[in-house]
């Protein structure tokens, strides 16, 4: 933003609500998560490359204890950003972040997110990125789910599930689903949001068996009062799928 604005982060834990006032920030539509030590990371989805030493640093780490903040480059075209229990930053990218826009790729350097998924240290160092030798290419990462020291993704074009272990070993499951933007994942099951053009209360659940998501069936997502889930935002973390709207925060979990 041309004119920085003030943000307030509200964090609910164990039934208590804490409000944290953030400094003046110029980030638009930021993704937000917290480090294990309480620091806060905000990432703007877009950033421009203008010249070799002139580009946007779209990641901001804020320490509520000291009031200090610093910036880092996380790349353009961010779809989702989540932090694991080791303090590593996992970032997934849309097609523009993979193939380049806003100066990245042409005429600038290769996009930071050219692999579709990257893992950064808290200092901004890229620790790992999705390899090109898996038989799968990420052209648009639709969903990211980080839990413990592991991450999982669901991506276009083939829409498999890929789980990345804490030491970056990959496991894949084929699916018959397309276009889902959030999912919960346990050791034996996966719960996905609706596919392309499906209503917001529709979801899909299946079992993870021998490299495939099997026994997939459709279910409805209901609010606590029994009504159908309205529009809003869904986000998966581990075996939990969270719903956010203007009035509610709800959670459904896999066993």
């Amino acid at each position: 933003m041309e004119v920085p604005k003030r943000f307030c982060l509200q964090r609910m834990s164990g039934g208590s609500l804490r409000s944290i006032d953030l400094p003046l920030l110029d980030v638009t539509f930021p993704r937000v998560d917290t480090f294990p030590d309480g620091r806060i990371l905000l990432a703007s989805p877009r950033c421009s490359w203008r010249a070799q030493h002139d580009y946007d640093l779209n990641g901001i780490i804020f320490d509520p204890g000291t009031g200090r903040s610093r910036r880092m480059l996380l790349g353009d075209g961010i779809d989702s950003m989540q932090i694991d229990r080791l303090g590593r930053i996992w970032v997934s990218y849309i097609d523009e972040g993979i193939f380049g826009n806003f100066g990245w790729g042409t005429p600038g350097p290769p996009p930071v997110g050219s692999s579709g998924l990257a893992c950064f240290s808290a200092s901004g160092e890229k620790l790992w990125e999705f390899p090109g030798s898996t038989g799968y290419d990420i052209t648009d990462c639709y969903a990211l789910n980080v839990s413990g020291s592991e991450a999982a993704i669901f991506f276009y074009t083939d829409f498999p599930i890929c789980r990345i272990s804490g030491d970056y070993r990959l496991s894949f499951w084929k699916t018959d689903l397309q276009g889902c933007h959030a999912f919960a994942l346990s050791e034996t099951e996966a719960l996905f949001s609706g596919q392309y053009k499906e209503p917001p209360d529709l979801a899909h659940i299946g079992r993870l068996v021998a490299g495939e998501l099997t026994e997939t069936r459709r279910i409805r997502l209901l609010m606590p009062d029994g009504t159908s889930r309205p529009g809003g935002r869904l986000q998966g973390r581990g075996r939990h799928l969270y719903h956010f709207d203007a009035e509610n925060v709800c959670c459904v979990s896999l066993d």
Side-chain angles (χ1 to χ4, degrees):
M1 295 181 289
E2 293 184 2
V3 180
K5 304 291 185 181
R6 288 199 175 276
F7 290 78
C8 178
L9 176 67
Q10 291 192 325
R11 183 174 184 179
M12 183 177 291
S13 178
S16 62
L17 182 66
R18 179 189 178 194
S19 294
I20 303 172
D21 291 322
L22 304 179
L24 284 169
L25 299 171
D26 61 358
V27 293
T28 55
F29 307 104
R31 280 48 172 163
V32 183
D33 205 353
T34 56
F35 289 96
D37 63 5
R39 290 177 299 162
I40 300 165
L41 174 61
L42 300 94
S44 176
R46 310 314 302 252
C47 73
S48 298
W49 185 94
R50 291 170 290 273
Q52 183 175 359
H53 300 293
D54 183 14
Y55 48 83
D56 298 326
L57 298 176
N58 60 324
I60 302 174
I61 295 179
F62 174 68
D63 187 339
T66 65
R68 296 178 180 176
S69 60
R70 61 180 180 83
R71 304 191 72 133
M72 66 172 68
L73 174 65
L74 293 176
D76 181 52
I78 293 175
D79 179 73
S80 185
M81 178 277 296
Q82 298 178 19
I83 298 171
D84 69 18
R85 71 179 183 190
L86 302 178
R88 297 178 301 187
I89 305 162
W90 295 85
V91 183
S92 62
Y93 299 87
I94 63 173
D95 52 356
E96 293 181 22
I98 294 169
F99 298 106
N101 200 353
F102 294 112
W104 298 99
T106 303
V112 176
S114 59
S115 69
L117 175 71
C119 181
F120 299 86
S121 71
S123 63
E125 174 191 3
K126 185 184 285 187
L127 302 173
W128 177 89
E129 60 184 359
F130 190 81
S133 57
T134 65
Y136 291 100
D137 291 320
I138 302 175
T139 56
D140 197 328
C141 194
Y142 272 53
L144 171 68
N145 180 328
V146 173
S147 179
S149 61
E150 296 187 340
I153 53 173
F154 181 71
F155 57 91
Y156 186 83
T157 56
D158 295 312
F159 289 115
I161 301 168
C162 175
R163 175 182 273 151
I164 305 98
S165 69
D167 56 357
Y168 309 117
R169 289 178 289 112
L170 307 182
S171 301
F172 291 91
W173 291 266
K174 295 179 181 179
T175 81
D176 292 326
L177 301 174
Q178 295 183 338
C180 308
H181 282 279
F183 68 104
L185 191 67
S186 72
E187 290 298 319
T188 58
E189 292 184 304
L191 172 65
F192 280 87
S193 64
Q195 302 184 89
Y196 293 122
K197 298 182 180 180
E198 290 185 338
D201 66 332
L202 192 62
H204 303 264
I205 189 169
R207 293 184 59 80
L208 303 171
V209 179
E212 293 187 18
L213 183 69
T214 64
E215 304 175 30
T216 306
R217 66 186 190 277
R218 300 199 306 177
I219 62 173
R220 290 182 63 206
L221 297 177
L222 303 178
M223 302 300 287
D225 62 3
T227 60
S228 297
R229 175 185 174 263
R233 185 169 69 89
L234 289 174
Q235 180 171 309
R237 295 299 296 256
R239 63 185 185 90
H240 309 292
L241 188 63
Y242 294 91
H243 160 88
F244 301 87
D245 63 31
E247 298 179 351
N248 301 284
V249 178
C250 303
C251 177
V252 61
S253 302
L254 295 169
D255 291 334

